[in-house]
Amino acid sequence: MQESKKIWMDGKLLDWGEANVPVMTHALHYGLGVFEGIRCYATEEGGGAIFRLKEHTDRLFASAHIVMIDIPFTQAEINDATVETIKANGLNEGYIRPIAFLGEGSMGLLPKDNPVRVAIAAWAWGAYLGEDGLKNGIRVRVSSYLRHHVNSTMTKAKITGSYVNSILAKREAVASGYDEAIMLDTEGYVSEGSGENIFMVKDGLVKTTSLTSVLKGITRDSVMTILNDIGTEVREERFTRDELYTADEAFFTGTAAEITPIREVDGRMIGSGTPGPVTKEVQKIYFNAVKGADKRYERWLHRI
Ligand code: PPE
């Protein structure tokens, strides 16, 4: 990770090295924290633009609501603090990580008066799955680890502790020579990547997993809007792994992963083994949108 200068913490901007927590921080022991991942892009005009800031902050508060973490700031204050953090680091382009978690206080599984700590960091982060992956597509495998059951951890909340599941799947995929994992849900349908939603294309029809065991991705929503705008039908429904094996195209979406084509699943080539026309079109429009070059999507940008 490329360290930057400042981290906003509990209402103040601190030097990067000073934004620390005690070892007895509750979240460190039990994983009860909620977070976001947001990107800021350099625009054509030169300044930066935070992509869909409002939606990310809304989801942060929704996640907190689900796990009953009472964030001691308003959404407007968190939005302002996010902008302040990007500016304080002199970043035009970067990744932003807001996080709210239970601090030091009582231990055990019935935390009482633990303070809710809130921090926002920002740093430069390039292509999540590599520049080559973004351009030529990545190789993925179906994980032996399942995505959480909808009644186990709450899958609509972006909870720190839930990511142990993602790390297990990611490590397994990379250890066996793949770039990324696809997890199935507890009923055996395709769910999502370790940190991405998934789309597949077959005979001109696009499908993405319905909002069952998956995170309600903001990139997923952006891609669905883009597809609608170019008159391509997109259906939200679960599909099986063999349906994916025979897809013409497949791609991952995520703030970090952006639009990453999938060229192989479990040793089966997807389509021609190179990014297909729908994937390429969506990728092109998405990158234009985030960089402020497509005025249809100006509403998604918070220019700084
Ligand atoms: N599913 C999961 C499990 C997930 O973590 C993400 C984002 C998504 C779907 C896509 O959501 P959205 O970013 O709103 O389109 N994963 C974040 C964390 C990545 C990390 O390694 O940390 C991200 O992309 O920022």
Side-chain angles (χ1 to χ4, degrees):
M1 189 191 46
Q2 202 175 318
E3 227 174 83
S4 55
K5 292 178 222 147
K6 299 277 182 190
I7 291 179
W8 183 95
M9 199 169 189
D10 304 323
K12 286 194 283 287
L13 274 176
L14 305 178
D15 287 337
W16 181 281
E18 248 124 64
N20 300 317
V21 293
V23 167
M24 297 315 280
T25 295
H26 192 276
L28 187 60
H29 298 253
Y30 306 111
L32 186 56
V34 294
F35 70 103
E36 272 305 315
I38 313 174
R39 273 194 194 267
C40 180
Y41 289 90
T43 62
E44 284 201 320
E45 293 85 355
I50 301 175
F51 190 63
R52 303 195 73 173
L53 172 60
K54 183 188 175 297
E55 290 85 344
H56 280 285
T57 304
D58 282 350
R59 191 172 64 187
L60 180 72
F61 278 75
S63 294
H65 177 75
I66 290 171
V67 297
M68 300 200 280
I69 285 180
D70 195 8
I71 297 180
F73 295 94
T74 64
Q75 295 203 26
E77 284 167 340
I78 295 297
N79 284 336
D80 289 348
T82 306
V83 175
E84 198 184 336
T85 307
I86 269 283
K87 281 189 180 159
N89 285 297
L91 290 167
N92 243 357
E93 193 155 89
Y95 186 82
I96 309 166
R97 167 58 49 83
I99 182 166
F101 56 96
L102 289 199
E104 192 178 24
S106 56
M107 286 301 269
L109 304 185
L110 195 60
K112 290 189 192 74
D113 303 322
N114 301 50
V116 173
R117 313 278 315 260
V118 187
I120 306 171
W123 66 94
W125 198 357
Y128 187 62
L129 293 157
E131 280 299 337
D132 180 68
L134 213 49
K135 191 160 172 266
N136 300 314
I138 58 165
R139 299 174 52 249
V140 302
R141 66 162 279 180
V142 171
S143 182
S144 70
Y145 298 98
L146 300 180
R147 197 36 144 182
H148 297 276
H149 185 276
V150 291
N151 276 327
S152 153
T153 59
M154 300 289 98
T155 53
K156 294 291 164 295
K158 206 166 161 59
I159 302 166
T160 56
S162 303
Y163 281 80
V164 172
N165 178 236
S166 291
I167 291 172
L168 290 170
K170 178 82 184 191
R171 282 189 168 154
E172 178 190 53
V174 172
S176 53
Y178 289 88
D179 303 309
E180 181 56 292
I182 291 175
M183 279 181 280
L184 304 180
D185 65 22
T186 50
E187 289 168 67
Y189 292 89
V190 171
S191 172
E192 60 182 345
S194 70
E196 309 89 359
N197 291 114
I198 188 166
F199 284 71
M200 59 159 277
V201 187
K202 181 72 180 177
D203 297 330
L205 175 69
V206 184
K207 283 187 191 177
T208 188
T209 322
S210 51
L211 293 174
T212 49
S213 63
V214 305
L215 188 73
K216 190 171 185 279
I218 290 161
T219 321
R220 173 187 180 277
D221 178 78
S222 308
V223 165
M224 286 173 58
T225 302
I226 289 170
L227 285 165
N228 275 320
D229 290 349
I230 59 173
T232 302
E233 190 188 347
V234 47
R235 237 183 251 167
E236 289 175 85
E237 66 182 41
R238 291 195 294 183
F239 46 89
T240 57
R241 77 196 270 181
D242 52 3
E243 204 176 337
L244 186 61
Y245 290 162
T246 54
D248 299 326
E249 300 179 39
F251 58 89
F252 277 135
T253 66
T255 299
E258 300 167 310
I259 315 290
T260 300
I262 295 172
R263 66 180 162 92
E264 187 188 313
V265 180
D266 293 345
R268 281 101 172 152
M269 195 189 270
I270 300 302
S272 62
T274 54
V278 177
T279 309
K280 284 210 277 208
E281 179 72 0
V282 167
Q283 213 182 31
K284 193 176 96 200
I285 299 174
Y286 181 78
F287 281 118
N288 279 337
V290 299
K291 289 172 185 157
D294 191 330
K295 296 300 168 211
R296 285 177 294 179
Y297 306 110
E298 187 61 34
R299 65 183 185 280
W300 286 343
L301 307 186
H302 186 103
R303 289 181 185 263
I304 52 165

